[in-house]
Amino acid sequence: MYMDHAQLNPRSHLDDSPSSSVFDLPVQPVNPSPQPLATGGSSNNSDLRPRTSAQITDTPESSPNITVISGGSGGNAICSAFDDACFVLPVSDDGGSSSEIIRVLGGPSIGDIRSRLVRMIPPVPPNSPLGAVRTLLSYRLPANVSEREAREEWRDIIEGHSPLWSGIPSDRKETIRGFLVYFENEVLKRAHKNFSFLNGSIGNYFISGAQTFFRSLPSAIFLFASITNSQANILPVIVTNHTVTIAAELENGTRLVGQCEISHPVNPSSSIEEDGPEMDAFSPVDGMGETIPHRSNVMYSQMDKDRGYEPLQAKIYRLYYINAYGHEVHPMPNPDFIKTIATSEALVYSCGSLWTSIIPCLALRGVASGIARSSLLQAKILLLNGKNDRETDGYTAVDYVKAIVGVLNSDYQKPSYGLGNASTVYPISAFITHLVWLEGTLIEVDVMALMALGVKSVMVRGSVEGNADQGPRYDADVVRRVLAHILEN
């Protein structure tokens, strides 16, 4: 099925009420007047304002509830396409400044969540109070300087002297600074691990400090959203205070540990501390509690991705979670994730890394039955990437569908001892009803084969930026319109 822009009923946004509560999901009713495709939705010019419980309102019925499963960068460009959405994100990324936080402090990865929270801050002028907060929380310490210089800039920030604090109201400033100081305190307790501030994300440090203080990642997300007036509804797929690690088993039996090793490996000698720093003979750290090594401050940019990739030795056979000792575990998903699926009208598997962003949100107990048995889900939509990557080299559209369905039909229960351990195998249409793909995609799409699997295919025109070898990309308007078309039909 081919869909041009003219065939899609355009939907546009109305400005949210400036008094809408931070507790609400985005409230953006349908406007019957068409909008140009170049526009990406309305601009919410609300700034830092006091909010009260009396301002909480119900979401209008005209805006469908959507659950979006996505990673960080892969889904950020189109997140404005979803009027009333709950974003479910993995907590297993071990790259970027998250890798350094995990190495020293442990805990779940918060990089993808911070990226989405920053993206969902309402658009305002940069010189406004909220614009200043956005600038601070999206700021990264320099990567091409000495460690001492990075530490000096960090010290200026936590002491409140940095120009980054300019324009931020004192109540927000002291709240943010308090959790940054708490983060610093936790790092100092582990001074023997030599935390590196190079390329460090201030937003990551703030969320990590709040998560450590509250012992709750959802609480840290709520605090970030409250301070930034964000109406984002973001759920970590697993609620835990422990480090979350994924591993992939290839078809040739090779095991790859960690998202970086699976998706974009870097030089091990520069990113993994095998022996750690030389310790003093009288150090209180005895080394008896060491577990699998974690990567140290992995710096990986979009430019690195655009340079291409080295294919895996074999295709990925399965993905699973492991604990700190390298043993396979079967964690429970965030209960709110399962509840959200049960009340949603549409489920979207977003574009992005299939095996390290989407599938970590599916390879959990109870997710398959939650999707297959939901009586309200009208559509289960896969947004096919514009091209393959290291994880999916050589994949066709059918391979993407079968990979997702294969994971969801796998048994992620604890071993059962006794009778009654039969597992249910669901049909493909129980998990995917529609596949949306881009005109000019570099991935083979066999419409007839998809139809034979019970999956409807819809082609849309995206945008091509730079080199055509990078493949076409989705934009928010295209995604908004195709979702409206699917749900209306």
Side-chain angles (χ1 to χ4, degrees):
M1 176 180 178
Y2 172 75
M3 293 183 61
D4 200 349
H5 288 169
Q7 295 175 278
L8 297 172
N9 293 329
R11 302 174 65 188
S12 63
H13 301 285
L14 292 178
D15 288 340
D16 294 349
S17 167
S19 63
S20 61
S21 169
V22 72
F23 297 97
D24 296 339
L25 299 180
V27 179
Q28 296 165 320
V30 176
N31 185 342
S33 60
Q35 294 289 332
L37 287 175
T39 61
S42 67
S43 173
N44 185 340
N45 292 321
S46 61
D47 210 325
L48 297 174
R49 296 183 178 91
R51 300 180 180 274
T52 65
S53 58
Q55 295 168 322
I56 300 177
T57 59
D58 293 330
T59 301
E61 294 181 359
S62 59
S63 182
N65 295 323
I66 301 175
T67 297
V68 181
I69 297 175
S70 74
S73 58
N76 277 344
I78 61 172
C79 60
S80 62
F82 308 102
D83 295 342
D84 186 2
C86 174
F87 297 97
V88 180
L89 280 80
V91 289
S92 49
D93 184 8
D94 60 351
S97 65
S98 293
S99 63
E100 188 68 356
I101 296 173
I102 293 170
R103 183 184 70 84
V104 175
L105 301 183
S109 173
I110 42 84
D112 286 347
I113 292 173
R114 183 267 313 158
S115 176
R116 183 60 48 81
L117 282 166
V118 169
R119 180 58 68 100
M120 298 299 288
I121 296 175
V124 293
N127 58 352
S128 66
L130 184 54
V133 172
R134 181 207 292 271
T135 300
L136 172 69
L137 294 178
S138 60
Y139 182 75
R140 281 188 179 274
L141 297 170
N144 56 349
V145 299
S146 68
E147 182 66 43
R148 179 177 294 275
E149 289 174 300
R151 286 176 181 268
E152 287 176 354
E153 182 169 350
W154 164 246
R155 178 62 56 184
D156 281 344
I157 292 174
I158 62 172
E159 289 180 353
H161 304 317
S162 170
L164 288 168
W165 293 110
S166 177
I168 299 179
S170 60
D171 55 350
R172 267 75 171 179
K173 175 181 177 179
E174 293 310 313
T175 301
I176 296 171
R177 198 173 72 85
F179 285 99
L180 293 180
V181 170
Y182 190 85
F183 172 82
E184 164 84 351
N185 207 30
E186 293 299 306
V187 168
L188 290 176
K189 290 178 184 178
R190 300 160 179 81
H192 62 280
K193 293 190 176 182
N194 295 322
F195 186 91
S196 173
F197 287 97
L198 293 175
N199 198 43
S201 165
I202 302 303
N204 281 359
Y205 295 167
F206 172 72
I207 295 177
S208 180
Q211 184 268 333
T212 305
F213 178 82
F214 292 120
R215 303 298 295 166
S216 167
L217 181 54
S219 297
I221 294 172
F222 170 76
L223 178 65
F224 191 110
S226 299
I227 289 176
T228 60
N229 281 19
S230 171
Q231 292 188 333
N233 184 10
I234 296 176
L235 295 179
V237 71
I238 300 173
V239 177
T240 180
N241 291 316
H242 299 286
T243 300
V244 178
T245 304
I246 55 174
E249 180 182 344
L250 307 186
E251 290 180 347
N252 65 359
T254 302
R255 184 172 91 152
L256 303 178
V257 176
Q259 177 171 321
C260 280
E261 189 66 22
I262 300 169
S263 184
H264 39 263
V266 293
N267 184 2
S269 62
S270 63
S271 64
I272 296 182
E273 292 192 356
E274 296 290 351
D275 301 319
E278 183 176 349
M279 303 299 297
D280 184 88
F282 298 99
S283 170
V285 181
D286 56 20
M288 294 299 293
E290 299 300 323
T291 56
I292 57 175
H294 291 288
R295 296 182 176 273
S296 172
N297 209 4
V298 179
M299 301 181 195
Y300 193 79
S301 66
Q302 184 63 43
M303 185 179 299
D304 295 321
K305 292 183 180 181
D306 293 339
R307 292 194 184 110
Y309 57 86
E310 179 184 351
L312 294 170
Q313 300 174 7
K315 288 186 176 181
I316 297 176
Y317 171 66
R318 71 184 185 111
L319 182 135
Y320 55 97
Y321 287 88
I322 59 176
N323 61 18
Y325 300 96
H327 301 147
E328 182 174 355
V329 293
H330 304 283
M332 288 290 293
N334 185 341
D336 289 337
F337 175 26
I338 304 301
K339 293 177 183 177
T340 298
I341 292 175
T343 58
S344 295
E345 298 172 56
L347 173 66
V348 176
Y349 307 96
S350 181
C351 50
S353 300
L354 175 65
W355 284 98
T356 55
S357 292
I358 307 302
I359 287 181
C361 297
L362 307 177
L364 298 163
R365 289 186 274 165
V367 173
S369 59
I371 296 173
R373 297 177 180 177
S374 173
S375 60
L376 295 182
L377 278 178
Q378 301 174 22
K380 302 154 190 179
I381 306 162
L382 169 61
L383 300 182
L384 186 68
N385 293 334
K387 67 171 186 173
N388 284 319
D389 55 19
R390 171 179 162 90
E391 305 170 17
T392 56
D393 186 58
Y395 272 38
T396 66
V398 170
D399 292 326
Y400 275 79
V401 171
K402 289 184 175 180
I404 291 175
V405 174
V407 168
L408 287 169
N409 269 326
S410 298
D411 188 8
Y412 292 101
Q413 302 295 332
K414 293 181 179 179
S416 178
Y417 303 98
L419 302 177
N421 60 345
S423 58
T424 301
V425 177
Y426 296 98
I428 290 176
S429 59
F431 301 125
I432 300 176
T433 60
H434 296 77
L435 181 138
V436 177
W437 54 290
L438 292 158
E439 181 183 32
T441 180
L442 303 181
I443 301 174
E444 179 186 340
V445 179
D446 188 333
V447 175
M448 298 305 295
L450 290 167
M451 187 180 301
L453 297 175
V455 178
K456 298 177 182 179
S457 59
V458 183
M459 184 174 78
V460 297
R461 288 194 181 125
S463 59
V464 179
E465 300 177 3
N467 192 337
D469 292 339
Q470 299 300 323
R473 298 182 179 181
Y474 294 98
D475 61 55
D477 287 315
V478 169
V479 174
R480 183 182 304 112
R481 295 180 182 184
V482 75
L483 290 179
H485 174 84
I486 290 173
L487 291 175
E488 289 170 2
N489 291 275

